[in-house]
Structures are given as C-alpha cells and as structure tokens.
C-alpha cells in the first residue's frame, strides 16, 4: 500500500432502506488501511451528492441518469402495504392493488415507487416524508405502500405490513459518476459482486516475500562399512595328515 492510498478515504452514500453493513465489514477486512465513510442521504438527493463529488459511490434506487452515472443493479425489493395491526387487510397473507381501492393511501413526496396511478383514494394532502406517512397510518388515517425495507426501517409495534403482489417494485443499485471510476470504486464493485480477494479484477494482493535462503545443513560423514575378507584366490586348505605306515 502506498502513502497516497493510506491517506485516502472511500466515501459511500446510501439512501433510506439500503443496508451497507455487510459490504462495509468486508471492506474493513480487505482494506484496513483505507477508511470507509458512510453518508446517509435522501433518495432524491443522492444524484446531486454523487455529481458534486461529495461521495465516491452510492447505494441508490433505480432508475439513475445513465448519461452521467454507471450503475450495477443489486436486488429488487418486495412492495408492501403498511397497515394498523387490527386492519381487515391483515386477514390475508398478501393482497393486490384492488384490495386498496376503497382505502385512503398516502403518497409521500419522497415516494420511491414509480406509479402510473397511485392506488386507493388520495389523501387530503401528501405527507412530506415516508416517516410522516407512517405516523399518519398509526393514527388510523390511511394506509401506505412502500418497499419492504422502508416498512422495516419505520417499524412500529402497532403496525404491520402485507405484500402487494401487483404493485411497482423498487430496485437498489450501486452507482457512481461514469467519469470517476477510481481504483477504490473498483475495489467496492468487487466486494458487492462477491469477488474473492485474489480476483484478477480486484485490487492485486501485495507480492509475497521470498523466503530467505538458509544454509544447507551439514551432512554427517557416512560410517565406514565393514568388509568381510574372502579367501584368497588360488589357496587351498592344508591336506589332512594320514596315519604313519608300519614297517615290516
């Protein structure tokens, strides 16, 4: 790691409902010398934050302006209706937009769903934020349709939610300015795509140091072999001496 890298910080913006924790943990494991700074932003503000260079990349909701930004889709969320726990809708495991036809359904100004026509009866006025709309649902004034992550983010004990099978869905993506694809952005792309640390497209690992050559151990001299002497060639055993012959 160079001195320039050590002084850098990777700045990641993220919109409500997105959860960068898993990827931040992997970043800290792989690049402990480069801090990752998180910046929460409203969904509508994310493009301006990235365009102004106030963040290197962001977890945003699609669509994005592809003339200025690159984007990698990550996942698509289930859309749910947030309702009081004692509402009749809770009798079903899932519902359709037709089930909301006679209900007042809030459409907050920061709504992230791309509606052709919002379902249900329109409220007297549009709440400024999704959080404000959740408070109104808790007061029994109407219902709210949002991505499931936002229902969880603004969870209340007196509210619950049910999937809406035919509602528009919201997709989350990693996005960054097309002309600012830095090495750190590439590192984070590798993490969200599940590349291993040794991936050829990820940050190259530091070269391994060659082991220091150690002197070869001194070999003990081999023990001398004991040789068995064999009889010399051409020699013969001493003949046996016979008995002396008697004289007559």
């Amino acid at each position: 790691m160079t001195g320039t890298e050590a002084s850098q910080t990777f700045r990641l913006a993220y919109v409500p409902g997105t959860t960068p924790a898993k990827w931040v943990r992997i970043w800290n494991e792989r690049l402990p010398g480069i801090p990752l700074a998180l910046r929460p932003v409203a969904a509508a503000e994310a493009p301006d934050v990235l365009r102004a260079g106030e963040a290197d990349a962001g977890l945003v909701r699609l669509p994005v302006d592809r003339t200025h930004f690159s984007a990698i889709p990550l996942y698509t969320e289930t859309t749910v209706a947030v309702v009081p726990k004692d509402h009749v809708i809770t009798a079903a495991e899932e519902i359709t937009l037709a089930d909301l036809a006679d209900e007042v359904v809030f459409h907050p100004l920061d709504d992230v769903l791309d509606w052709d026509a919002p379902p249900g009866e329109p409220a007297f006025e549009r709440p400024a934020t999704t959080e404000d709309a959740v408070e109104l649902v808790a007061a029994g004034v109407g219902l709210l349709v949002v991505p499931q992550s936002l229902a969880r983010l603004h969870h209340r004990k007196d509210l619950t939610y049910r999937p809406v099978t035919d509602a528009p869905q919201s997709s989350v993506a990693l996005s960054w300015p097309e002309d600012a694809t830095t090495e750190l952005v590439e590192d984070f792309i590798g993490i969200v795509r599940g590349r291993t640390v040794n991936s050829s497209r990820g940050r190259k690992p530091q070269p391994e140091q060659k082991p220091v050559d150690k002197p070869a151990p001194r070999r003990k001299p081999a023990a001398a072999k004991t040789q068995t002497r064999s009889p010399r060639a051409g020699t013969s055993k001493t003949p046996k001496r016979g008995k002396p012959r008697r004289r007559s």
Side-chain angles (χ1 to χ4, degrees), residues 9-240:
T9 297
F10 181 66
R11 301 162 301 165
L12 180 68
Y14 67 102
V15 301
T18 59
T19 52
K22 177 182 73 171
W23 296 314
V24 172
R25 175 181 55 79
I26 296 173
W27 176 281
N28 291 335
E29 291 173 355
R30 294 189 184 179
L31 302 166
I34 302 179
L36 189 154
L38 291 174
R39 175 170 177 175
V41 296
E45 296 173 358
D48 291 337
V49 169
L50 293 174
R51 191 178 286 109
E54 297 173 9
D56 300 298
L59 298 176
V60 303
R61 293 189 180 276
L62 294 176
V64 299
D65 183 356
R66 291 302 184 112
T67 61
H68 297 287
F69 299 106
S70 295
I72 298 173
L74 300 176
Y75 57 89
T76 298
E77 291 196 65
T78 298
T79 302
V80 300
V82 180
V83 301
K85 280 192 171 181
D86 59 355
H87 197 282
V88 64
I89 281 179
T90 60
E93 292 296 322
E94 56 186 29
I95 62 173
T96 65
L97 293 177
D99 296 318
L100 302 174
D102 297 328
E103 303 286 345
V104 173
V105 179
F106 295 112
H107 186 211
L109 296 176
D110 65 354
D111 188 11
V112 296
L113 297 175
D114 186 18
W115 295 104
D116 290 332
E121 297 291 335
F124 177 71
E125 62 180 355
R126 297 182 64 183
T129 66
T130 297
E131 185 175 8
D132 292 338
V134 170
E135 294 294 329
L136 293 172
V137 175
V141 181
L143 309 182
L144 176 66
V145 180
V146 292
Q148 184 171 297
S149 66
L150 292 181
R152 290 175 174 172
L153 177 65
H154 301 295
H155 171 70
R156 290 175 52 112
K157 292 182 178 180
D158 52 349
L159 300 181
T160 187
Y161 55 83
R162 291 292 184 268
V164 185
T165 58
D166 56 348
Q169 294 179 313
S170 176
S171 296
V172 173
L174 175 67
S175 183
W176 66 97
E178 194 172 76
D179 58 355
T181 309
T182 65
E183 187 178 55
L184 295 184
V185 170
E186 287 286 1
D187 286 331
F188 198 76
I189 291 171
I191 289 172
V192 299
R193 281 185 162 171
R195 295 180 195 147
T196 64
V197 68
N198 294 322
S199 169
S200 60
R201 293 188 63 184
R203 181 183 292 273
K204 294 181 180 179
Q206 296 295 322
E208 296 182 0
Q209 294 184 352
K210 293 183 179 180
V212 178
D213 293 335
K214 296 181 179 180
R218 297 180 62 185
R219 299 179 60 184
K220 295 182 179 180
K225 296 183 179 180
T226 303
Q227 296 183 352
T228 304
R229 295 184 63 186
S230 57
R232 292 182 181 178
T235 62
S236 60
K237 296 182 179 180
T238 304
K240 295 182 179 180

